[in-house]
Amino acid sequence: APYLGDSEKDVANSDAARGTSSSPDSVPQPDEEEPSKKNRKKLFFILGGVAALAVVAAAVAVPVAITQTKKSSSGSSSSSSSSSPNTGTGNNDHPTSSGPTGAVTGGDGSVITTEKGTTFTYVNKFGGTWYDDPNDPWNNNAQAQSFTPPLSQEWDYQNDPMRGVNLGGWLVPEPFIVPSLYEPYMNATPRAQDEWTLSLAMAADTANGGLNQLETHYDTFITEEDFAQIAGAGLNWIRLPIPFWMVAKLPEEPYLERVSWKYALKAFKWARKYGLRIQLDLHSIPGSQNGFDHSGKGGVGGQVNFLVGPMGLANAQRTLDVIRVITEFISQPEYTAVVPMFGIINEAQATRIGDDQITSFFAEVHDMIRGITGTGAGKGPWIALHDAFRGLSAYNDFLPGHDRIALDTHPYLMFGAPDRSPLASQVNKPCTQWASGMNSSWNNFGFTLAGEFSLGVNDCGRWING
């Protein structure tokens, strides 16, 4: 199987995270025995009350009420110890982003020196502390805020408020989030409207760097300072959309293979440093799970070739392989505290795939993941399942006795008839339109979250609808 390695600690020193890299610590490696592997948006969740909060990277956070979990077998996630053993194959001499005096921890007002040599002041009025010791790279003592458990403590999903943000547009560049990447190729043939066509256009544009333009985007769109600001804004979770070609792709697929893995490792490192937890989310699926641009190949009139279509079953198997490889990596004890949740497929479209097909696939993924991790708190990540646009109530009786499944829904106000009422009346809509369904799902299914949402009331932004 493709091997993701077991360390982010030296990736800051490495620019070799390419498909040809020989470093297992930096990038996934393909398995020659498996020829099949030769080969929206970004507003996360808050659980707790109802409020809007604008933050870094196109984010808004709104709480939703929490009630008692019924069906999940465990209500908390075990963190790795504050200093997990190093089982990686790399060395420990990665550059630290500590203060100029060599400090390995600090709070509000401390000065951070990044791996690139730049500095910024850590601003956190909520009692948060960062921690980064090159001699103890797996230390989980960082705490995003005084009211958030440090990574060294278990997260209580029934009582700890989850306040989060999506890093949309970073490792899965979507046209409406990063239009500047797509605008130069509006007249290309084919016109850039998803990452497939964007990759084709960029690869042909050698004068401007070819596909390396994407790595420039990865390197600059989100930086360490953004993670520090997320903690400073009072948020404690990040939802990180990732593409399947982060692990492997087929030769005929034009994507920039595996390079984004280098930046996922940076995300894990920075999250550990600032006490943030990550929900990893597999946004792009072989064949496309919905025909939308964020699936990798979609846009206007996009086709679905996952579980249905001429390569539907083959692409479903490829997806299982990707999920397996990622699960094996993030279930290592060094990462369980930093990545305690894994969204396996973003917004599969059940109306085009079939209800039975998608729920059967979800059940198979659950069994595969728990076959890898074992069952019970601390044994691998929570599994987040998007409702596939079926509605939360469709899952009331899904997979009784499951082990740590979270049901994910993406409520939006903008995709429907425009509402021109004053903003003051709009802000109550999460309570009047979403709260009842969320509370019912908590009672009837179990842990339910809004992995994406927005208080935007119209879809007037460029390319929001593709």
Side-chain angles (χ1 to χ4, degrees):
Y3 177 56
L4 291 180
D6 53 13
S7 174
E8 91 275 13
K9 61 184 179 298
D10 63 345
V11 74
N13 252 351
S14 171
D15 289 325
R18 309 281 189 203
T20 57
S21 170
S22 60
S23 170
D25 292 331
S26 300
V27 294
Q29 300 296 317
D31 185 50
E32 296 177 356
E33 296 180 359
E34 292 188 3
S36 67
K37 293 175 62 179
K38 293 177 186 173
N39 15 10
R40 215 150 40 79
K41 337 169 202 218
K42 331 331 182 158
L43 317 166
F44 194 35
F45 49 85
I46 279 191
L47 303 179
V50 179
L53 177 64
V55 295
V56 178
V60 177
V62 174
V64 259
I66 296 180
T67 58
Q68 181 73 21
T69 300
K70 273 188 76 174
K71 295 187 178 178
S72 288
S73 63
S74 173
S76 63
S77 167
S78 175
S79 299
S80 61
S81 65
S82 63
S83 179
S84 302
N86 176 16
T87 60
T89 58
N91 53 48
N92 282 329
D93 60 352
H94 70 302
T96 181
S97 302
S98 61
T101 62
V104 299
T105 187
D108 182 53
S110 56
V111 177
I112 304 292
T113 302
T114 72
E115 63 195 32
K116 294 182 177 182
T118 59
T119 61
F120 65 88
T121 299
Y122 181 62
V123 178
N124 190 315
K125 305 301 182 183
F126 299 105
T129 56
W130 58 270
Y131 195 102
D132 184 30
D133 183 354
N135 297 313
D136 189 10
W138 310 116
N139 190 293
N140 289 325
N141 285 343
Q143 188 170 11
Q145 303 88 23
S146 61
F147 51 78
T148 294
L151 295 178
S152 57
Q153 295 180 13
E154 293 183 356
W155 186 270
D156 184 345
Y157 289 89
Q158 297 181 36
N159 296 298
D160 293 332
M162 302 174 73
R163 301 181 173 96
V165 56
N166 273 256
L167 297 186
W170 184 22
L171 304 183
V172 182
E174 300 180 42
F176 89 99
I177 302 176
V178 284
S180 61
L181 286 180
Y182 288 80
E183 286 167 344
Y185 304 108
M186 289 297 94
N187 296 321
T189 303
R191 176 179 179 269
Q193 63 175 355
D194 51 30
E195 199 158 345
W196 179 287
T197 49
L198 178 66
S199 298
L200 290 173
M202 282 186 167
D205 185 14
T206 56
N208 286 305
L211 273 180
N212 287 336
Q213 294 176 84
L214 283 172
E215 182 162 16
T216 299
H217 165 76
Y218 300 153
D219 191 48
T220 57
F221 187 68
I222 295 292
T223 66
E224 178 180 340
E225 188 170 2
D226 293 314
F227 279 69
Q229 290 179 355
I230 288 169
L235 305 183
N236 47 30
W237 278 75
I238 286 170
R239 184 169 179 259
L240 180 61
I242 57 172
F244 73 85
W245 53 90
M246 184 180 83
V247 174
K249 72 176 186 67
L250 298 178
E252 61 268 26
E253 292 171 330
Y255 308 114
L256 185 60
E257 185 178 23
R258 302 185 196 145
V259 176
S260 56
W261 177 246
K262 170 181 174 180
Y263 295 89
L265 288 178
K266 287 179 182 287
F268 299 165
K269 174 179 170 60
W270 295 335
R272 189 190 307 275
K273 180 172 179 176
Y274 295 103
L276 299 166
R277 290 165 171 84
I278 291 177
Q279 179 192 339
L280 210 57
D281 190 79
L282 191 56
H283 239 54
S284 305
I285 298 298
S288 179
Q289 71 276 24
N290 52 31
F292 301 155
D293 51 28
H294 67 242
S295 71
K297 190 175 185 180
V300 178
Q303 300 298 307
V304 174
N305 199 0
F306 167 76
L307 289 174
V308 295
M311 290 292 290
L313 294 181
N315 285 329
Q317 183 59 55
R318 292 177 62 199
T319 303
L320 285 172
D321 291 342
V322 171
I323 292 171
R324 173 179 52 80
V325 170
I326 294 172
T327 298
E328 289 171 347
F329 183 90
I330 64 176
S331 296
Q332 296 177 104
E334 294 84 358
Y335 290 95
T336 53
V338 177
V339 191
M341 189 175 296
F342 182 18
I344 59 168
I345 296 181
N346 179 63
E347 295 186 346
Q349 200 166 21
T351 54
R352 300 180 68 178
I353 295 171
D355 290 353
D356 291 343
Q357 289 88 335
I358 196 65
T359 54
S360 294
F361 185 81
F362 287 166
E364 183 170 356
V365 171
H366 170 272
D367 292 348
M368 179 188 72
I369 288 178
R370 294 303 172 225
I372 294 168
T373 69
T375 58
K379 303 263 183 91
W382 277 75
I383 302 167
L385 304 179
H386 181 256
D387 63 12
F389 303 108
R390 300 175 69 223
L392 294 174
S393 62
Y395 295 85
N396 287 351
D397 299 315
F398 177 71
L399 208 60
H402 64 248
D403 182 67
R404 290 167 297 141
I405 289 180
L407 186 56
D408 184 4
T409 189
H410 298 172
Y412 285 91
L413 300 173
M414 65 183 69
F415 301 113
D419 185 345
R420 303 182 186 278
S421 57
L423 184 60
S425 65
Q426 304 277 6
V427 297
N428 295 318
K429 286 184 176 179
C431 288
T432 59
Q433 296 189 15
W434 301 341
S436 176
M438 294 291 287
N439 288 337
S440 294
S441 184
W442 270 89
N443 286 324
N444 297 321
F445 172 81
F447 180 22
T448 305
L449 60 93
E452 294 179 15
F453 63 91
S454 172
L455 294 184
V457 295
N458 63 65
D459 57 358
C460 297
R462 189 174 194 187
W463 295 327
I464 286 182
N465 289 309

